[in-house]
């Protein structure tokens, strides 16, 4: 049971309020970011999903740091990066933020991108916009890349009583969050509880995934998925594969065998847009394949990034 008295729950503060958090200031904004591995090694930038999650659940990819310089960051308005209004978050802004990260850590050299779910969509968009700045591309279960694959995400149907009950409990529990003057705190808490619930169908056992995260970002989610729901024209205009035909590097798609919506079938629809692409399907993994099969998934990424 969740405590329902006021102030029973707190959320961590963000990078602009806690100088102890690792961060990098780019484009006038303090991204919560951390890097593992020696400077001078090939750079790998990891892009988390959501939208509205943070990079904590992907920290298993830091195992690549014995061979690469591995960079993680929380995207604008989510995780431990500072909160901003939803109006300040745009698809182009995500690409521009990533470009600043690439320039800051890449030191003028192409970087590898590893994206999961929404992060894979963003990685695809970046490779299309800046093909010369990307070495290799790992796209783990991007949801859709343009209007042709967007309709396949509509799973529909009743999610089941456990999910419905979990959402009701989350809605009630948000009112016990001590906002400490943060107007987004309660909605951040609610989103953080709801994101795993809606992924219950994308796991091998049909249960919501257990994922580590610092803090969800409601504004980040509202500016993307929320806006798509309110504005069909905006949803139809999104194109995360524009320009990828110009990207000459190799692309690895990853899918979990237990992932029914964003799994193998959806990724095969995406393959044909890339010049050099292949798909690996992980047995015993759902949508969160880096968590379901951490050793196997990291090994696949390592072999791909280090390959000829």
């Amino acid at each position: 049971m969740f405590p329902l008295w006021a102030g029973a729950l707190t959320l961590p503060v963000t990078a602009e309020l806690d100088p102890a958090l690792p961060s990098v200031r780019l484009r006038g904004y303090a991204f919560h970011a951390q890097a593992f591995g020696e400077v001078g090694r090939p750079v790998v930038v990891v892009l988390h999903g959501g939208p509205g999650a943070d990079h904590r659940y992907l920290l298993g990819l830091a195992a690549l740091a014995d061979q690469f310089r591995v960079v993680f960051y929380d995207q604008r308005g989510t995780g431990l990066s500072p909160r901003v209004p939803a109006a300040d978050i745009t698809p182009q802004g995500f690409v521009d933020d990533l470009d600043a990260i690439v320039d800051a850590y890449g030191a003028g050299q192409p970087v590898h991108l590893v994206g999961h779910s929404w992060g894979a969509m963003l990685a695809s968009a970046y490779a299309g916009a800046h093909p010369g700045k990307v070495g290799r591309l790992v796209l783990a279960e991007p949801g859709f890349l343009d209007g042709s694959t967007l309709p396949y995400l509509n799973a529909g149907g009743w999610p089941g009583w456990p999910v419905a009950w979990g959402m009701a409990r989350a809605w009630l529990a948000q009112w016990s969050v001590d906002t400490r003057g943060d107007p987004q705190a309660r909605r951040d808490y609610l989103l953080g509880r709801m994101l795993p619930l809606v992924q219950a169908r994308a796991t091998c056992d049909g249960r919501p995934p257990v994922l580590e995260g610092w803090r969800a970002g409601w504004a980040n989610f509202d500016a993307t998925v929320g806006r798509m729901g309110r504005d069909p024209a905006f949803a139809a205009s999104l194109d995360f594969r524009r320009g990828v035909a110009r990207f000459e590097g190799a692309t690895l798609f990853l899918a979990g065998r237990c992932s029914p919506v964003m799994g193998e079938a959806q990724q095969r629809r995406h393959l044909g847009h890339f010049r050099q692409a292949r798909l690996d399907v992980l047995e015993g993994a759902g949508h969160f394949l880096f968590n379901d099969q951490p050793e196997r998934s990291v090994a696949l990424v390592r072999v791909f990034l280090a390959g000829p």
Side-chain angles (χ1 to χ4, degrees):
M1 294 294 292
F2 292 110
L4 297 181
W5 54 90
L9 300 170
T10 59
L11 295 181
V13 297
T14 52
E16 85 278 22
L17 299 176
D18 184 357
L21 289 173
S23 65
V24 58
R25 179 166 287 277
L26 301 168
R27 304 182 69 222
Y29 181 83
F31 292 93
H32 174 230
Q34 50 187 331
F36 302 86
E38 295 180 8
V39 174
R41 288 176 175 169
V43 173
V44 177
V45 178
V46 178
L47 304 169
H48 66 75
D54 60 47
H55 73 259
R56 187 175 179 182
Y57 76 99
L58 291 176
L59 282 174
L61 286 161
L64 298 170
D66 61 348
Q67 195 171 356
F68 300 92
R69 176 79 165 162
V70 188
V71 178
F72 300 85
Y73 74 102
D74 290 343
Q75 294 155 26
R76 187 176 295 259
T78 195
L80 299 183
S81 289
R83 290 305 178 267
V84 297
D88 293 348
I89 300 174
T90 65
Q92 184 60 48
F94 284 116
V95 174
D96 294 341
D97 287 345
L98 176 53
D99 193 40
I101 293 285
V102 168
D103 287 346
Y105 290 94
Q109 298 297 315
V111 307
H112 304 309
L113 299 181
V114 178
H116 172 250
S117 193
W118 154 254
M121 295 160 63
L122 175 55
S124 174
Y126 185 82
H130 302 281
K133 292 186 175 183
V134 180
R136 293 192 170 208
L137 195 58
V138 178
L139 304 180
E141 294 219 347
F144 71 98
L145 295 183
D146 64 5
S148 68
T149 49
L150 176 58
Y152 293 98
L153 296 188
N154 185 19
W158 168 246
W161 282 112
V163 172
W165 174 232
M167 289 186 174
R169 294 174 70 194
W171 187 88
L172 287 171
Q174 71 174 311
W175 303 110
S176 66
V177 170
D178 180 0
T179 66
R180 293 181 289 187
D182 183 344
Q184 297 191 33
R186 287 195 174 117
R187 287 188 172 184
D188 285 358
Y189 173 84
L190 178 62
L191 179 65
R193 296 301 303 250
M194 291 178 66
L195 281 175
L197 292 172
V198 299
Q199 293 293 340
R201 293 179 174 178
T203 61
C204 292
D205 61 6
R207 299 178 181 178
V210 178
L211 303 172
E212 292 188 340
W214 288 291
R215 176 173 173 175
W218 179 270
N220 185 295
F221 181 87
D222 189 50
T224 50
V225 176
R227 184 178 174 188
M228 289 173 63
R230 297 188 300 268
D231 185 356
F234 169 73
S237 73
L238 294 175
D239 187 348
F240 296 93
R241 69 172 182 87
R242 183 181 294 117
V244 296
R246 299 185 297 137
F247 174 59
E248 298 181 354
T251 301
L252 173 65
F253 282 89
L254 294 176
R257 181 69 72 188
C258 302
S259 182
V261 176
M262 288 180 268
E264 179 178 2
Q266 183 76 326
Q267 303 320 314
R268 291 200 181 280
R269 298 181 186 106
H270 296 151
L271 273 174
H273 300 303
F274 294 79
R275 297 176 67 170
Q276 300 184 62
R278 77 168 198 260
L279 169 66
D280 283 349
V281 181
L282 275 77
E283 301 294 337
H287 179 59
F288 292 92
L289 48 89
F290 291 115
N291 304 92
D292 294 341
Q293 295 291 335
E295 293 183 4
R296 176 60 176 155
S297 58
V298 170
L300 287 173
V301 172
R302 182 189 298 277
V303 170
F304 172 72
L305 294 182

